[in-house]
Tab-separated table of all heavy atoms in Angstrom:
chain	number	residue	atom	x	y	z
A	240	LEU	N	-9.536	26.497	7.924
A	240	LEU	CA	-8.777	25.753	8.931
A	240	LEU	C	-9.031	24.259	8.825
A	240	LEU	O	-10.163	23.788	8.954
A	240	LEU	CB	-9.171	26.244	10.351
A	240	LEU	CG	-8.546	25.489	11.547
A	240	LEU	CD1	-7.020	25.613	11.494
A	240	LEU	CD2	-9.073	25.994	12.865
A	241	SER	N	-7.936	23.515	8.599
A	241	SER	CA	-8.012	22.065	8.514
A	241	SER	C	-7.360	21.457	9.736
A	241	SER	O	-6.147	21.492	9.877
A	241	SER	CB	-7.329	21.574	7.236
A	241	SER	OG	-7.198	20.100	7.258
A	242	LEU	N	-8.166	20.923	10.671
A	242	LEU	CA	-7.648	20.292	11.856
A	242	LEU	C	-7.395	18.796	11.623
A	242	LEU	O	-7.031	18.084	12.575
A	242	LEU	CB	-8.590	20.479	13.027
A	242	LEU	CG	-8.598	21.958	13.599
A	242	LEU	CD1	-9.525	22.022	14.801
A	242	LEU	CD2	-7.189	22.393	13.989
A	243	GLY	N	-7.617	18.342	10.427
A	243	GLY	CA	-7.342	16.953	10.073
A	243	GLY	C	-6.286	16.853	9.023
A	243	GLY	O	-6.127	15.830	8.314
A	244	HIS	N	-5.391	17.879	8.972
A	244	HIS	CA	-4.355	17.957	7.931
A	244	HIS	C	-3.371	16.810	8.082
A	244	HIS	O	-2.735	16.400	7.079
A	244	HIS	CB	-3.618	19.270	7.915
A	244	HIS	CG	-3.047	19.683	6.643
A	244	HIS	ND1	-3.847	20.023	5.552
A	244	HIS	CD2	-1.779	19.856	6.185
A	244	HIS	CE1	-3.102	20.364	4.518
A	244	HIS	NE2	-1.848	20.228	4.877
A	245	ILE	N	-3.213	16.278	9.278
A	245	ILE	CA	-2.251	15.213	9.497
A	245	ILE	C	-2.694	13.965	8.767
A	245	ILE	O	-1.853	13.084	8.517
A	245	ILE	CB	-2.155	14.910	11.006
A	245	ILE	CG1	-0.974	14.044	11.328
A	245	ILE	CG2	-3.476	14.258	11.524
A	245	ILE	CD1	0.369	14.713	10.977
A	246	ALA	N	-3.969	13.885	8.350
A	246	ALA	CA	-4.417	12.735	7.574
A	246	ALA	C	-3.702	12.622	6.276
A	246	ALA	O	-3.262	11.530	5.833
A	246	ALA	CB	-5.929	12.783	7.335
A	247	PHE	N	-3.488	13.704	5.561
A	247	PHE	CA	-2.754	13.700	4.278
A	247	PHE	C	-1.272	13.350	4.504
A	247	PHE	O	-0.721	12.591	3.686
A	247	PHE	CB	-2.885	15.095	3.598
A	247	PHE	CG	-4.287	15.596	3.479
A	247	PHE	CD1	-4.714	16.788	3.972
A	247	PHE	CD2	-5.209	14.762	2.748
A	247	PHE	CE1	-6.015	17.195	3.814
A	247	PHE	CE2	-6.550	15.203	2.585
A	247	PHE	CZ	-6.943	16.438	3.164
A	248	PHE	N	-0.746	13.837	5.618
A	248	PHE	CA	0.661	13.479	5.935
A	248	PHE	C	0.779	11.954	6.137
A	248	PHE	O	1.656	11.326	5.602
A	248	PHE	CB	1.026	14.271	7.235
A	248	PHE	CG	2.404	14.054	7.668
A	248	PHE	CD1	3.451	14.888	7.285
A	248	PHE	CD2	2.763	13.023	8.524
A	248	PHE	CE1	4.710	14.743	7.735
A	248	PHE	CE2	4.036	12.836	9.012
A	248	PHE	CZ	5.031	13.782	8.594
A	249	GLY	N	-0.174	11.377	6.937
A	249	GLY	CA	-0.160	9.990	7.198
A	249	GLY	C	-0.385	9.117	5.969
A	249	GLY	O	0.215	8.070	5.791
A	250	ILE	N	-1.336	9.597	5.137
A	250	ILE	CA	-1.642	8.884	3.877
A	250	ILE	C	-0.381	8.850	3.013
A	250	ILE	O	-0.032	7.751	2.461
A	250	ILE	CB	-2.812	9.506	3.140
A	250	ILE	CG1	-4.133	9.270	3.903
A	250	ILE	CG2	-2.889	9.013	1.706
A	250	ILE	CD1	-5.284	10.037	3.351
A	251	GLY	N	0.341	9.919	2.853
A	251	GLY	CA	1.567	9.913	2.109
A	251	GLY	C	2.603	8.946	2.667
A	251	GLY	O	3.262	8.286	1.950
A	252	ALA	N	2.694	8.920	4.038
A	252	ALA	CA	3.649	8.057	4.679
A	252	ALA	C	3.315	6.566	4.402
A	252	ALA	O	4.161	5.742	4.044
A	252	ALA	CB	3.656	8.316	6.147
A	253	TYR	N	2.080	6.187	4.572
A	253	TYR	CA	1.680	4.810	4.396
A	253	TYR	C	1.696	4.361	2.872
A	253	TYR	O	2.157	3.265	2.612
A	253	TYR	CB	0.254	4.568	4.958
A	253	TYR	CG	0.271	4.069	6.405
A	253	TYR	CD1	0.111	4.981	7.401
A	253	TYR	CD2	0.507	2.786	6.706
A	253	TYR	CE1	0.145	4.601	8.699
A	253	TYR	CE2	0.559	2.355	8.049
A	253	TYR	CZ	0.355	3.264	9.035
A	253	TYR	OH	0.393	2.861	10.362
A	254	VAL	N	1.241	5.229	1.986
A	254	VAL	CA	1.251	4.844	0.556
A	254	VAL	C	2.664	4.686	0.094
A	254	VAL	O	3.011	3.707	-0.590
A	254	VAL	CB	0.540	5.942	-0.263
A	254	VAL	CG1	0.834	5.771	-1.712
A	254	VAL	CG2	-0.957	5.911	0.025
A	255	SER	N	3.564	5.536	0.479
A	255	SER	CA	4.954	5.456	0.055
A	255	SER	C	5.635	4.239	0.655
A	255	SER	O	6.349	3.493	-0.011
A	255	SER	CB	5.756	6.717	0.452
A	255	SER	OG	6.983	6.773	-0.163
A	256	ALA	N	5.337	3.958	1.955
A	256	ALA	CA	5.921	2.790	2.604
A	256	ALA	C	5.438	1.509	1.964
A	256	ALA	O	6.222	0.569	1.670
A	256	ALA	CB	5.606	2.793	4.081
A	257	LEU	N	4.105	1.370	1.744
A	257	LEU	CA	3.576	0.148	1.215
A	257	LEU	C	3.999	-0.054	-0.232
A	257	LEU	O	4.188	-1.198	-0.656
A	257	LEU	CB	2.083	0.188	1.284
A	257	LEU	CG	1.457	0.074	2.724
A	257	LEU	CD1	-0.023	0.378	2.742
A	257	LEU	CD2	1.732	-1.340	3.243
A	258	THR	N	4.160	1.042	-1.018
A	258	THR	CA	4.631	0.927	-2.384
A	258	THR	C	6.031	0.316	-2.415
A	258	THR	O	6.346	-0.508	-3.312
A	258	THR	CB	4.620	2.271	-3.073
A	258	THR	OG1	3.296	2.820	-3.076
A	258	THR	CG2	5.152	2.162	-4.480
A	259	SER	N	6.887	0.769	-1.552
A	259	SER	CA	8.250	0.297	-1.564
A	259	SER	C	8.468	-1.038	-0.821
A	259	SER	O	9.431	-1.735	-1.125
A	259	SER	CB	9.171	1.344	-0.897
A	259	SER	OG	8.761	1.681	0.442
A	260	LEU	N	7.520	-1.383	0.092
A	260	LEU	CA	7.674	-2.693	0.773
A	260	LEU	C	6.945	-3.811	0.045
A	260	LEU	O	7.337	-5.008	0.097
A	260	LEU	CB	7.073	-2.568	2.166
A	260	LEU	CG	7.839	-1.821	3.216
A	260	LEU	CD1	7.059	-1.646	4.470
A	260	LEU	CD2	9.187	-2.534	3.531
A	261	GLY	N	5.895	-3.464	-0.683
A	261	GLY	CA	5.006	-4.488	-1.309
A	261	GLY	C	4.025	-5.071	-0.264
A	261	GLY	O	4.190	-4.854	0.986
A	262	PHE	N	2.955	-5.713	-0.771
A	262	PHE	CA	1.994	-6.261	0.162
A	262	PHE	C	1.167	-7.315	-0.526
A	262	PHE	O	1.157	-7.432	-1.766
A	262	PHE	CB	1.029	-5.152	0.695
A	262	PHE	CG	0.334	-4.373	-0.344
A	262	PHE	CD1	-0.789	-4.795	-0.932
A	262	PHE	CD2	0.860	-3.140	-0.760
A	262	PHE	CE1	-1.416	-4.059	-1.942
A	262	PHE	CE2	0.282	-2.380	-1.748
A	262	PHE	CZ	-0.902	-2.824	-2.312
A	263	ASP	N	0.513	-8.158	0.227
A	263	ASP	CA	-0.328	-9.247	-0.221
A	263	ASP	C	-1.569	-9.277	0.669
A	263	ASP	O	-1.511	-9.644	1.803
A	263	ASP	CB	0.409	-10.583	-0.165
A	263	ASP	CG	-0.481	-11.736	-0.733
A	263	ASP	OD1	-1.672	-11.467	-1.017
A	263	ASP	OD2	0.033	-12.898	-0.764
A	264	VAL	N	-2.707	-8.747	0.163
A	264	VAL	CA	-3.873	-8.513	1.005
A	264	VAL	C	-5.102	-9.063	0.323
A	264	VAL	O	-5.244	-8.901	-0.909
A	264	VAL	CB	-3.956	-7.030	1.383
A	264	VAL	CG1	-4.197	-6.183	0.122
A	264	VAL	CG2	-5.116	-6.811	2.340
A	265	GLU	N	-6.034	-9.584	1.084
A	265	GLU	CA	-7.290	-10.041	0.501
A	265	GLU	C	-8.297	-8.963	0.704
A	265	GLU	O	-8.512	-8.366	1.808
A	265	GLU	CB	-7.783	-11.277	1.279
A	265	GLU	CG	-9.080	-11.884	0.735
A	265	GLU	CD	-9.499	-13.167	1.434
A	265	GLU	OE1	-8.696	-13.689	2.228
A	265	GLU	OE2	-10.610	-13.670	1.189
A	266	ILE	N	-9.096	-8.635	-0.361
A	266	ILE	CA	-10.079	-7.609	-0.302
A	266	ILE	C	-11.474	-8.128	-0.277
A	266	ILE	O	-12.494	-7.344	-0.404
A	266	ILE	CB	-9.861	-6.604	-1.436
A	266	ILE	CG1	-10.053	-7.294	-2.808
A	266	ILE	CG2	-8.532	-5.901	-1.391
A	266	ILE	CD1	-9.938	-6.362	-4.022
A	267	GLY	N	-11.667	-9.434	-0.217
A	267	GLY	CA	-13.010	-10.004	-0.128
A	267	GLY	C	-13.349	-10.874	-1.356
A	267	GLY	O	-12.726	-10.680	-2.425
A	268	PHE	N	-14.294	-11.769	-1.158
A	268	PHE	CA	-14.762	-12.664	-2.247
A	268	PHE	C	-13.626	-13.496	-2.828
A	268	PHE	O	-13.611	-13.782	-4.026
A	268	PHE	CB	-15.458	-11.814	-3.351
A	268	PHE	CG	-16.574	-10.998	-2.861
A	268	PHE	CD1	-16.483	-9.673	-2.729
A	268	PHE	CD2	-17.816	-11.578	-2.501
A	268	PHE	CE1	-17.449	-8.854	-2.298
A	268	PHE	CE2	-18.844	-10.737	-2.103
A	268	PHE	CZ	-18.703	-9.399	-1.948
A	269	GLY	N	-12.644	-13.813	-2.015
A	269	GLY	CA	-11.523	-14.592	-2.443
A	269	GLY	C	-10.519	-13.919	-3.315
A	269	GLY	O	-9.692	-14.583	-3.946
A	270	THR	N	-10.634	-12.591	-3.436
A	270	THR	CA	-9.765	-11.831	-4.302
A	270	THR	C	-8.606	-11.284	-3.477
A	270	THR	O	-8.807	-10.707	-2.382
A	270	THR	CB	-10.542	-10.638	-4.953
A	270	THR	OG1	-11.665	-11.210	-5.632
A	270	THR	CG2	-9.629	-9.895	-5.870
A	271	ARG	N	-7.448	-11.479	-3.969
A	271	ARG	CA	-6.234	-10.936	-3.330
A	271	ARG	C	-5.485	-9.957	-4.225
A	271	ARG	O	-5.468	-10.139	-5.498
A	271	ARG	CB	-5.289	-12.081	-2.934
A	271	ARG	CG	-5.887	-13.112	-2.030
A	271	ARG	CD	-4.810	-14.026	-1.401
A	271	ARG	NE	-3.939	-13.302	-0.477
A	271	ARG	CZ	-4.241	-13.112	0.758
A	271	ARG	NH1	-5.351	-13.572	1.263
A	271	ARG	NH2	-3.372	-12.467	1.561
A	272	ILE	N	-4.907	-8.975	-3.662
A	272	ILE	CA	-4.018	-8.050	-4.356
A	272	ILE	C	-2.622	-8.228	-3.917
A	272	ILE	O	-2.299	-8.146	-2.739
A	272	ILE	CB	-4.542	-6.589	-4.105
A	272	ILE	CG1	-5.904	-6.339	-4.601
A	272	ILE	CG2	-3.504	-5.604	-4.770
A	272	ILE	CD1	-6.419	-4.964	-4.390
A	273	VAL	N	-1.794	-8.576	-4.887
A	273	VAL	CA	-0.390	-8.797	-4.582
A	273	VAL	C	0.469	-7.750	-5.291
A	273	VAL	O	0.325	-7.566	-6.503
A	273	VAL	CB	0.057	-10.232	-5.055
A	273	VAL	CG1	1.569	-10.430	-4.762
A	273	VAL	CG2	-0.802	-11.298	-4.414
A	274	HIS	N	1.208	-7.010	-4.477
A	274	HIS	CA	2.017	-5.922	-5.058
A	274	HIS	C	3.453	-6.190	-4.726
A	274	HIS	O	3.844	-6.345	-3.536
A	274	HIS	CB	1.562	-4.559	-4.453
A	274	HIS	CG	2.543	-3.479	-4.754
A	274	HIS	ND1	2.759	-3.014	-5.998
A	274	HIS	CD2	3.316	-2.764	-3.910
A	274	HIS	CE1	3.663	-2.024	-5.942
A	274	HIS	NE2	4.018	-1.870	-4.703
A	275	GLU	N	4.255	-6.255	-5.727
A	275	GLU	CA	5.702	-6.447	-5.545
A	275	GLU	C	6.328	-5.106	-5.229
A	275	GLU	O	5.867	-4.041	-5.671
A	275	GLU	CB	6.314	-7.016	-6.777
A	275	GLU	CG	5.854	-8.413	-7.160
A	275	GLU	CD	6.199	-9.438	-6.058
A	275	GLU	OE1	7.246	-9.262	-5.399
A	275	GLU	OE2	5.429	-10.382	-5.894
A	276	PRO	N	7.408	-5.074	-4.441
A	276	PRO	CA	8.051	-3.784	-4.069
A	276	PRO	C	8.484	-2.965	-5.284
A	276	PRO	O	9.087	-3.546	-6.219
A	276	PRO	CB	9.231	-4.269	-3.203
A	276	PRO	CG	8.855	-5.600	-2.711
A	276	PRO	CD	8.029	-6.222	-3.778
A	277	TRP	N	8.217	-1.703	-5.199
A	277	TRP	CA	8.685	-0.722	-6.226
A	277	TRP	C	9.757	0.189	-5.615
A	277	TRP	O	9.835	0.248	-4.413
A	277	TRP	CB	7.485	0.067	-6.785
A	277	TRP	CG	6.599	-0.684	-7.669
A	277	TRP	CD1	6.749	-1.974	-8.083
A	277	TRP	CD2	5.397	-0.163	-8.281
A	277	TRP	NE1	5.708	-2.318	-8.922
A	277	TRP	CE2	4.833	-1.272	-9.037
A	277	TRP	CE3	4.706	0.996	-8.193
A	277	TRP	CZ2	3.646	-1.134	-9.758
A	277	TRP	CZ3	3.520	1.142	-8.927
A	277	TRP	CH2	2.964	0.058	-9.681
A	278	PRO	N	10.529	0.875	-6.435
A	278	PRO	CA	11.514	1.810	-5.846
A	278	PRO	C	10.832	2.846	-4.953
A	278	PRO	O	9.720	3.311	-5.187
A	278	PRO	CB	12.168	2.477	-7.080
A	278	PRO	CG	11.890	1.444	-8.174
A	278	PRO	CD	10.585	0.797	-7.879
């Protein structure tokens, strides 16, 4: 029994949304990750 199964559902939603929207985020030590939108 997995009572946290919604986590995988939400991860799929956010990963797919961020992949198609793109993002520009700082991960620390002055390093930034810039992702251009993908299909």
Side-chain angles (χ1 to χ4, degrees):
L240 175 60
S241 171
L242 288 181
H244 207 68
I245 194 63
F247 306 122
F248 183 92
I250 288 170
Y253 268 98
V254 168
S255 192
L257 289 170
T258 299
S259 57
L260 286 171
F262 55 85
D263 182 355
V264 62
E265 183 176 353
I266 60 174
F268 304 103
T270 304
R271 301 193 68 85
I272 297 180
V273 179
H274 168 66
E275 296 297 329
W277 288 356

